[in-house]
Amino acid sequence: MCGIVGFNGKLQAAPILLDGLSKLEYRGYDSAGMAVRNDEGEVNVVKAKGRLKALSDKTDGGKTLPGTCGIGHTRWATHGEPSENNAHPHCSDDGNVTAVHNGIFENYQEIKEKLMKSGYTFYSQTDTECAVKLIDYYYKKYKMGPIDAIAKTMVRVRGSYALCVMFKDYPGDIFVARKESPMIVGLSEGNSYVASDVPAILKYTNKVYYIDNMEMARLGKGEVEFYNVDGEVIEKELVTIDWDAEAAEKGGYEHFMMKEIHEQPKAVKDTINSVVKDNKIDLTNLGLSDEEIKDISNIIIVACGSAYHVGVVAQYVFEDLAKIPVRVELASEFRYRKPLLDPKTLVIVVSQSGETADSLAALREAKNRGIKTLGIVNVVGSSIARDADNVFYTLAGPEIAVATTKAYSTQLIACYLLAIQFGLVRGELTAEQSINLIAELQTLPEKIERILTDKERIQWFAAKFAAAKDVFFIGRGIDYAVCLEGSLKMKEISYIHSEAYAAGELKHGTISLIEDGTLVISVLTQNALFEKTVSNMVEVKSRGAYLMGLTSYGHYQVEDTAEFTVYIPKTDEHFAASLAVIPLQLMGYYISVARGLDVDKPRNLAKSVTVE
Ligand code: G6P
């Protein structure tokens, strides 16, 4: 989950590396470093602990590192604490090989011991240093070229990696290798780029190659050659990315998160329009035929983090609209629990990045067992998108803030659309019901827009609770699923302890945590559950809780119980999560801002979690 950028071309490398790394900081930000080769062929390495800004300050925005070929890295520590010493790039003892790495080399200890016997010494605690020195060892021992030395290393190591390597003897080239960790190569006139993710180089080019597992590449200036692990040259397809560079910039907002919250109406609309034509849902591009849909016996939704919360909402919606049994599972659990899978199961993997290690492993587990898989993915060409049998692309565009907002919203939409179509094809919904539900979906962007116009009220309320110690979110059914997401938003960016509880479950333990003034946010969008949840609100209120109600216009009686109420427009109850989540995203955001925290890059987190 570290970020990698490499540049080889006609321009000064360091400023381009810093700029690219700034777009990848969401992948890790505890230290950063760059290695740039100057005109005399010497490689200079600069590293700094902390945010990328420290590296930028140390190199005067890259000016003190002249040269047109270089590699850079922003780190999310796995092996070895965050420190300058453990930061990448790492070098062989004589500076022959310099590299940056994303991923984990699992057998690094064993390699380290082997290399120590051959006289290598180690200055860091990282697994990366071992791999760098192993490349150096093979290169020298067998007098082989860089591609062969890297290929031999790829066969010897276990684990995952995206590697970017420079060799002293090959001043005109950067070499890269990949297994499991994402890496793309981009070209523009006379310049070559390599990066962990598209936004890092989008400003310079939208033409990219995806490097696949066990593949390598050599980047010259403005040209690239790809190899398989046997060192044979292979052809790859150039893909045009239709995200524009501006989408990866803040565009006048103080934080990416706020910008992305405001992009939700468009993201939701684009995702709906991607499959809705003339009031009908057309899943042809996903490759799912009506026969296949009819044949499904049950669905397992597998995901991590917020994508898992989407699955919890989807469970209610699918079961109600399509009458298919659905189970939702955390990918990290599913992959190891030896699930009993009916051959007619459909496994849906939901992932913004398409690279989350546990979700990818769960997908592969399902595929190995011969189960049909569908990915709901945002990043085009990502591993999950490429490995799944069918893909529903959410059209959220690049999401940079670590705390997801617009990707979550588009994932919900993808699930609703699938549930409606599954219901129709399986005869559980009439054509008219389906048309009405689609029409309702199409009103969501405007309704989200309306909620956003009233954000100052939430800002005011958030400021009052910026010093809260604990926050509880309660709700039932889909409202409980929204609470899970609201609570995650709160804790991940504001560092306030928060919990989401099924409202009816509170009295089985959690209620003992309610003290005088504890903030309890109650979500009530489901008519049939309204009064039940109000009873639970009364229970906590009588124990001192301060209550915020979140409900649809018309349910004004909430004000009899709640001290502060936020209203959202009415919609079909199946889709209420799409509206109820917006004030909760805003709450998390404003509390984080009021506490003076780094909203877009919360401590210890990374957006794309490519380790187990
Ligand atoms: C990380 C992010 C979350 C995200 C989760 C799953 O924990 O911080 O926002 O929901 O990973 O990521 P994915 O890319 O698979 O949706």
Side-chain angles (χ1 to χ4, degrees):
M1 31 220 269
C2 309
I4 290 180
V5 183
F7 174 80
N8 190 12
K10 300 184 290 194
L11 310 166
Q12 286 299 301
I16 293 174
L17 299 180
L18 284 171
D19 179 57
L21 290 174
S22 74
K23 308 281 166 26
L24 295 181
E25 254 196 309
Y26 68 81
R27 300 180 66 87
Y29 33 80
D30 58 43
S31 52
M34 293 187 284
V36 177
R37 191 192 303 282
N38 65 21
D39 290 346
E40 285 74 52
E42 294 155 6
V43 173
N44 292 304
V45 176
V46 181
K47 308 182 196 186
K49 188 180 167 200
R51 296 289 162 89
L52 188 62
K53 177 146 191 328
L55 181 69
S56 179
D57 290 349
K58 203 166 174 181
T59 59
D60 193 12
K63 289 198 200 86
T64 61
L65 265 183
T68 55
C69 176
I71 54 181
H73 188 264
T74 174
R75 181 167 185 249
W76 188 87
T78 56
H79 294 71
E81 56 173 18
S83 68
E84 205 169 304
N85 200 35
N86 287 330
H88 301 210
H90 287 288
C91 306
S92 59
D93 299 342
D94 57 0
N96 179 42
V97 180
T98 309
V100 292
H101 162 225
N102 169 31
I104 291 179
F105 292 111
E106 287 163 6
N107 55 340
Y108 75 104
Q109 272 299 357
E110 167 199 328
I111 289 168
K112 193 171 188 172
E113 279 156 29
K114 169 192 157 75
L115 290 172
M116 281 164 84
K117 284 188 198 135
S118 302
Y120 282 85
T121 55
F122 289 84
Y123 58 83
S124 79
Q125 299 150 289
T126 65
D127 50 337
T128 307
E129 189 189 351
C130 303
V132 170
K133 292 184 174 170
L134 187 63
I135 297 173
D136 179 67
Y137 171 78
Y138 286 141
Y139 178 79
K140 288 177 181 151
K141 177 165 181 198
Y142 298 107
K143 302 197 174 11
M144 43 182 29
I147 287 291
D148 290 332
I150 295 173
K152 214 166 166 48
T153 305
M154 290 167 82
V155 174
R156 181 69 177 77
V157 296
R158 284 199 308 276
S160 61
Y161 48 84
L163 259 180
C164 242
V165 193
M166 295 199 297
F167 287 77
K168 197 179 189 172
D169 302 338
Y170 291 79
D173 297 317
I174 294 176
F175 297 89
V176 303
R178 174 204 155 141
K179 185 181 166 227
E180 307 299 353
S181 299
M183 191 146 62
I184 52 153
V185 169
L187 292 180
S188 69
E189 193 51 45
N191 301 312
S192 314
Y193 309 81
V194 56
S196 306
D197 198 358
V198 172
I201 62 171
L202 206 49
K203 192 161 146 189
Y204 312 102
T205 180
N206 66 345
K207 303 256 185 306
V208 305
Y209 294 96
Y210 289 96
I211 304 185
D212 282 307
N213 279 338
M214 302 306 274
E215 287 181 357
M216 293 170 283
R218 180 193 60 77
L219 277 78
K221 293 193 184 297
E223 46 104 12
V224 60
E225 203 164 35
F226 298 97
Y227 305 84
N228 63 19
V229 74
D230 296 323
E232 295 159 351
V233 173
I234 51 171
E235 293 298 319
K236 295 201 71 80
E237 194 192 333
L238 192 62
V239 179
T240 304
I241 305 287
D242 57 8
W243 289 355
D244 63 87
E246 228 176 79
E249 307 284 342
K250 276 192 206 148
Y253 287 92
E254 202 181 329
H255 300 102
F256 277 112
M257 183 174 174
M258 193 43 126
K259 173 178 175 253
E260 289 162 5
I261 286 174
H262 278 85
E263 285 171 346
Q264 290 181 107
K266 179 174 185 312
V268 163
K269 191 176 189 171
D270 290 349
T271 305
I272 297 172
N273 289 343
S274 71
V275 296
V276 173
K277 315 254 145 51
D278 303 325
N279 296 324
K280 287 203 188 92
I281 297 168
D282 178 0
L283 300 182
T284 337
N285 285 345
L286 276 68
L288 261 185
S289 68
D290 286 0
E291 282 60 43
E292 287 171 306
I293 294 173
K294 281 183 196 150
D295 203 37
I296 295 165
S297 64
N298 70 102
I299 295 174
I300 303 185
I301 302 177
V302 189
C304 302
S306 296
Y308 169 77
H309 297 158
V310 167
V312 183
V313 177
Q315 179 181 24
Y316 293 99
V317 180
F318 263 112
E319 293 202 335
D320 207 45
L321 295 183
K323 305 282 184 274
I324 306 177
V326 180
R327 181 172 173 154
V328 195
E329 286 204 55
L330 292 166
S332 53
E333 289 296 311
F334 175 85
R335 61 180 293 196
Y336 292 119
R337 83 168 170 84
K338 303 191 185 73
L340 299 174
L341 299 173
D342 178 295
K344 293 184 173 179
T345 301
L346 172 69
V347 167
I348 302 182
V349 179
V350 187
S351 175
Q352 188 284 128
S353 63
E355 301 292 349
T356 302
D358 284 321
S359 304
L360 182 58
L363 174 84
R364 290 183 178 156
E365 168 70 17
K367 279 190 76 175
N368 287 342
R369 310 252 311 254
I371 302 298
K372 180 171 273 308
T373 56
L374 166 69
I376 297 180
V377 180
N378 195 42
V379 177
V380 177
S382 56
S383 301
I384 293 174
R386 285 187 293 158
D387 280 13
D389 298 320
N390 309 91
V391 187
F392 192 138
Y393 278 114
T394 51
L395 299 189
E399 192 178 62
I400 310 292
V402 166
T404 178
T405 51
K406 61 175 178 167
Y408 169 90
S409 285
T410 56
Q411 289 161 352
L412 282 180
I413 296 295
C415 291
Y416 302 155
L417 288 160
L418 287 168
I420 296 171
Q421 189 63 4
F422 281 25
L424 179 69
V425 171
R426 295 164 67 99
E428 300 293 345
L429 292 175
T430 63
E432 194 191 346
Q433 283 172 317
S434 151
I435 287 173
N436 289 343
L437 287 166
I438 295 168
E440 185 54 38
L441 273 186
Q442 282 166 325
T443 68
L444 291 179
E446 188 268 324
K447 288 175 179 166
I448 296 174
E449 200 85 67
R450 244 193 292 158
I451 301 170
L452 290 173
T453 57
D454 201 20
K455 60 179 191 275
E456 281 73 20
R457 253 189 105 234
I458 295 170
Q459 181 175 19
W460 167 82
F461 183 72
K464 276 171 52 131
F465 280 90
K469 200 160 61 66
D470 307 287
V471 181
F472 292 87
F473 292 76
I474 60 170
R476 290 167 180 258
I478 287 177
D479 292 336
Y480 166 56
V482 183
C483 285
L484 290 170
E485 180 60 7
S487 169
L488 180 61
K489 289 284 90 79
M490 178 68 73
K491 63 186 139 207
E492 66 182 343
I493 55 173
S494 74
Y495 313 155
I496 294 176
H497 163 252
S498 80
E499 279 190 48
Y501 245 77
E505 185 66 13
L506 260 186
K507 50 188 159 305
H508 299 292
T510 316
I511 203 158
S512 63
L513 296 170
I514 305 294
E515 292 172 1
D516 245 4
T518 304
L519 175 61
V520 177
I521 299 177
S522 178
V523 184
L524 312 96
T525 67
Q526 307 290 304
N527 263 323
L529 302 168
F530 187 84
E531 284 176 0
K532 302 275 173 217
T533 305
V534 169
S535 305
N536 301 128
M537 291 168 72
V538 173
E539 280 163 17
V540 288
K541 191 173 181 179
S542 57
R543 283 151 181 94
Y546 188 97
L547 278 169
M548 168 179 150
L550 173 55
T551 188
S552 318
Y553 283 106
H555 284 133
Y556 303 114
Q557 63 274 41
V558 169
E559 293 189 28
D560 297 340
T561 316
E563 269 90 354
F564 177 75
T565 307
V566 173
Y567 293 100
I568 53 172
K570 278 211 168 91
T571 183
D572 183 285
E573 288 183 11
H574 295 99
F575 311 145
S578 288
L579 302 183
V581 76
I582 309 292
L584 301 183
Q585 294 169 343
L586 292 167
M587 271 292 283
Y589 173 84
Y590 283 125
I591 290 195
S592 177
V593 172
R595 288 165 72 96
L597 299 172
D598 190 341
V599 179
D600 286 335
K601 297 184 202 94
R603 70 181 175 212
N604 302 341
L605 296 178
K607 185 158 189 70
S608 182
V609 183
T610 52
V611 294
E612 278 183 42

